[in-house]
Amino acid sequence: MIRITELIKVYRTEEIETTALNKISLEVKKGEFVAIMGPSGCGKSTLLNIIGLLDSIDSGSYLFNGEEVGNLNERSRSDLRKHNIGFVFQSFNLIDELTVFENVELPLIYTRVKSSERKKRVEEVLDKMKIMHRRNHYPQQLSGGQQQRVAVARAVVNHPKLILADEPTGNLDSNNGNEVMQLLTELNEQGATIVMVTHSEHDARYSHRIIRMLDGQTITENILVG
């Protein structure tokens, strides 16, 4: 599904040039659950943003489902992203003015799904995430664990091929964190490909494979399951 080869990403200001990714190469197969680990500043969030088509590359190659996507313009990246990728963030990124139902419905509006189909899909995913009873509540009326359940529901309501998770348990206590990791595991078992950035060795053990990064490069890989 993902093949990155000799990828370089450099951030430039008037005074300084920072190489965030330095000739990094990696592959993620369809159906895998991969964790990316490393110290702050090693480039893992930059890599996740590029995989998620939120950022472009400076050189190298990024193939997504066999298509070169590294240098697409923003509109093309956005179209591809909307239909193929779901995001789960540490800070939940829910919209305070929208209800749980409306937050989860948003990606379906962006992809122009009909109203009746939107209602059906949102209700299905809220039920699956055991958050249906909160459908008319607002994010600030929910616990952190409930907010992350809503964020996961929003990420998967469009049936994406790929789910990207950036420190998905970072703002949660251990019980809620374990619940979110179990949710991601179940989604993976149902066929979703997952790439997760984490500082947590505990969370990383839910994955099939751990990629460790340092100074914009991959340094080791640990395979946890065959």
Side-chain angles (χ1 to χ4, degrees):
M1 175 177 277
I2 295 165
R3 178 176 289 177
I4 286 171
T5 308
E6 296 283 298
L7 189 148
I8 294 175
K9 179 63 181 180
V10 179
Y11 292 106
R12 296 177 178 87
T13 65
E14 289 182 8
E15 295 85 21
I16 196 166
E17 184 175 283
T18 303
T19 301
L21 298 174
N22 186 14
K23 294 187 176 179
I24 194 168
S25 298
L26 63 88
E27 286 190 32
V28 178
K29 294 185 174 69
K30 183 180 178 182
E32 270 198 297
F33 186 164
V34 175
I36 300 173
M37 302 192 73
S40 296
C42 72
K44 57 188 186 298
S45 291
T46 299
L47 177 60
L48 201 71
N49 284 342
I50 287 173
I51 291 173
L53 301 171
L54 295 170
D55 208 347
S56 59
I57 68 176
D58 288 311
S59 69
S61 171
Y62 171 21
L63 298 179
F64 183 78
N65 281 335
E67 177 187 353
E68 179 60 60
V69 297
N71 286 303
L72 292 177
N73 62 36
E74 172 51 34
R75 182 168 184 174
S76 298
R77 289 204 311 268
S78 176
D79 287 343
L80 199 60
R81 194 167 60 232
K82 283 188 294 190
H83 291 91
N84 292 280
I85 302 173
F87 295 87
V88 181
F89 300 97
Q90 176 178 350
S91 55
F92 317 135
N93 283 20
L94 301 176
I95 298 172
D96 288 340
E97 295 76 23
L98 300 182
T99 64
V100 164
F101 185 97
E102 291 165 342
N103 266 283
V104 176
E105 183 185 32
L106 211 52
L108 300 175
I109 293 173
Y110 290 151
T111 50
R112 299 180 180 177
V113 175
K114 290 181 180 178
S115 176
S116 58
E117 176 67 12
R118 291 202 308 266
K119 183 174 185 292
K120 178 186 171 194
R121 283 211 220 166
V122 173
E123 289 179 347
E124 281 177 357
V125 77
L126 289 179
D127 189 51
K128 187 176 182 179
M129 297 297 158
K130 299 182 173 60
I131 200 80
M132 175 69 91
H133 61 296
R134 297 286 194 178
R135 59 176 289 166
N136 294 319
H137 287 67
Y138 292 89
Q140 57 267 43
Q141 296 174 303
L142 308 178
S143 69
Q146 289 170 334
Q147 287 187 60
Q148 195 61 299
R149 282 178 175 272
V150 176
V152 173
R154 181 187 58 192
V156 302
V157 72
N158 238 347
H159 305 145
K161 297 180 176 70
L162 175 65
I163 297 171
L164 300 180
D166 192 355
E167 300 284 0
T169 68
N171 285 335
L172 303 177
D173 61 36
S174 58
N175 286 338
N176 281 313
N178 287 338
E179 284 189 12
V180 167
M181 290 310 304
Q182 192 58 47
L183 279 175
L184 292 176
T185 299
E186 289 168 9
L187 290 167
N188 176 246
E189 289 170 350
Q190 291 160 15
T193 304
I194 300 177
V195 179
M196 174 181 69
V197 161
T198 182
H199 279 104
S200 168
E201 293 281 353
H202 173 270
D203 290 358
R205 287 197 292 272
Y206 282 87
S207 71
H208 302 158
R209 181 160 56 103
I210 301 173
I211 298 171
R212 297 183 191 272
M213 291 183 64
L214 186 67
D215 297 335
Q217 297 177 306
T218 55
I219 53 169
T220 61
E221 282 195 28
N222 304 103
I223 297 173
L224 303 182
V225 297

